[in-house]
């Protein structure tokens, strides 16, 4: 039992380090390395397991950096809905889902942020997890993307109505939004928009994300919902 506890503790030290955080060396790094070496020498039985975990961590870090480079060029595509400055000092990639209650809760905070910080741009990166996991056509994301492409002047109204619905979207709720905004044609299945949704999901997984919402700012990923005051603090650090 003691062996297992020690092994799990050391692995947790690395697992707890987010894949999306830039490496920051502590002042006492050398002391920590010596302490780890001492522990390993005292408990050689855990070396194999820890070595495997470390190799996995390094592979994940490489994958994250590769995905981040791809994302950096991908989000400049006109296919993604945006709000804020066209030539921003800071771009926030908002990984979001119209069926996620915390994503909907985050929306007004982001709108307030863009209003208060005109040098910021927000890119909506749709990853409809619930629909993808249920094997549906991911209509909410494909529909919103199609509206943005075909009738961008209608997007804000459609977006706000999709966010305002507090329950899981279905065919009826989408039809109601489309009829109210005169965007019924955009409900038609679009292979190109589904390709975008699929690529979004691929990058979502390669970035090591586990849920929505999540915000990507440079090489930093902020998972989950944040109230405005905490969100503003992070933005001020990035600017």
């Amino acid at each position: 039992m003691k062996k297992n506890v020690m092994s799990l503790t050391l692995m947790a030290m690395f697992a707890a380090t987010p894949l999306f955080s830039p490496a920051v060396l502590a002042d006492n790094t050398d002391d920590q390395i010596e302490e780890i070496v001492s522990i390993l020498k005292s408990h050689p039985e855990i070396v194999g397991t820890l070595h495997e975990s470390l190799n996995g961590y390094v592979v994940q870090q490489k994958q994250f950096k590769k995905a981040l480079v791809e994302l950096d060029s991908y989000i400049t595509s006109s296919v993604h809905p945006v709000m804020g400055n066209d030539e921003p000092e800071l771009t926030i990639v908002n990984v979001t889902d119209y069926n996620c209650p915390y994503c909907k809760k985050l929306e007004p905070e982001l709108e307030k942020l863009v209003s208060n910080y005109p040098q910021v741009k927000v890119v909506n990166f749709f990853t409809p997890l619930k629909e993808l996991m249920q094997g549906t056509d991911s209509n909410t994301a494909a529909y919103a993307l199609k509206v943005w492409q075909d009738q961008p002047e209608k997007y804000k109204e459609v977006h706000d109505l999709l966010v305002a619905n507090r329950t899981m979207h279905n065919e009826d709720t989408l039809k109601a939004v489309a009829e109210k905004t005169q965007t019924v044609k955009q409900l038609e299945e679009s292979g190109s928009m589904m390709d975008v949704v699929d690529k979004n999901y691929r990058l979502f997984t390669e970035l090591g994300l586990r849920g929505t919402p999540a915000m990507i700012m440079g090489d930093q990923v902020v998972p989950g919902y944040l109230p405005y005051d905490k969100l503003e603090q992070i933005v001020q650090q990035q600017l």
Side-chain angles (χ1 to χ4, degrees):
M1 179 64 70
K2 188 174 181 181
K3 167 188 169 182
N4 291 338
V5 171
M6 179 67 69
S7 180
L8 289 171
T9 300
L10 284 170
M11 286 188 289
M13 289 167 56
F14 296 98
T17 303
L19 300 180
F20 37 75
S21 294
V24 178
L25 296 179
D27 294 336
N28 62 337
T29 298
D30 290 340
D31 292 338
Q32 290 176 334
I33 291 174
E34 288 183 9
E35 183 178 356
I36 291 172
V37 170
S38 176
I39 292 173
L40 293 176
K41 286 182 177 180
S42 299
H43 301 274
E45 69 277 7
I46 67 175
V47 171
T49 303
L50 184 59
H51 182 264
E52 183 179 345
S53 297
L54 286 171
N55 280 333
Y57 171 79
V58 170
V59 169
Q60 288 174 325
Q61 284 287 334
K62 288 180 178 178
Q63 178 178 283
F64 169 74
K65 291 177 181 178
K66 181 180 178 181
L68 201 60
V69 170
E70 183 178 355
L71 178 70
D72 190 49
S73 59
Y74 179 51
I75 60 171
T76 60
S77 168
S78 60
V79 73
H80 303 292
V82 301
M83 62 176 174
N85 200 317
D86 290 335
E87 297 182 359
E89 294 179 25
L90 174 65
T91 297
I92 300 174
V93 180
N94 176 35
V95 184
T96 188
D97 177 357
Y98 283 121
N99 287 308
C100 164
Y102 285 100
C103 295
K104 297 175 182 181
K105 189 176 179 181
L106 182 62
E107 280 297 323
E109 313 288 35
L110 290 172
E111 291 184 6
K112 182 179 177 181
L113 186 72
V114 168
S115 176
N116 292 340
Y117 291 85
Q119 67 271 51
V120 170
K121 177 170 76 173
V122 173
V123 180
N124 278 340
F125 190 83
F126 293 118
T127 311
L129 296 180
K130 290 185 178 180
E131 294 168 80
L132 287 168
M133 296 305 177
Q134 292 176 5
T136 66
D137 292 332
S138 305
N139 284 335
T140 53
Y143 166 53
L145 288 168
K146 190 65 173 169
V147 171
W148 173 258
Q149 182 183 62
D150 295 349
Q151 299 190 69
E153 73 282 358
K154 296 278 189 178
Y155 172 77
K156 181 65 165 63
E157 183 181 6
V158 168
H159 176 76
D160 288 347
L161 289 171
L162 291 174
V163 170
N165 180 55
R166 298 304 176 187
T167 61
M168 182 83 175
H169 279 289
N170 54 42
E171 186 177 342
D172 292 335
T173 63
L174 290 180
K175 185 178 179 180
V177 171
E179 289 178 346
K180 185 172 183 177
T181 58
Q182 298 181 338
T183 56
V184 174
K185 187 177 180 180
Q186 279 66 49
L187 279 176
E188 297 175 4
E189 184 175 345
S190 171
S192 61
M193 294 302 101
M194 284 306 303
D195 288 343
V196 173
V197 173
D198 289 342
K199 184 172 182 177
N200 287 3
Y201 181 69
R202 175 177 65 79
L203 283 172
F204 172 89
T205 57
E206 290 177 359
L207 287 164
L209 299 176
R210 295 176 176 84
T212 57
M215 290 170 284
I216 305 172
M217 307 179 202
D219 61 355
Q220 180 179 6
V221 176
V222 182
Y225 165 80
L226 283 182
Y228 182 80
D229 57 341
K230 293 185 178 179
L231 177 59
E232 184 179 40
Q233 290 176 10
I234 295 174
V235 168
Q236 288 175 347
Q237 292 170 0
Q238 291 283 332
L239 289 172

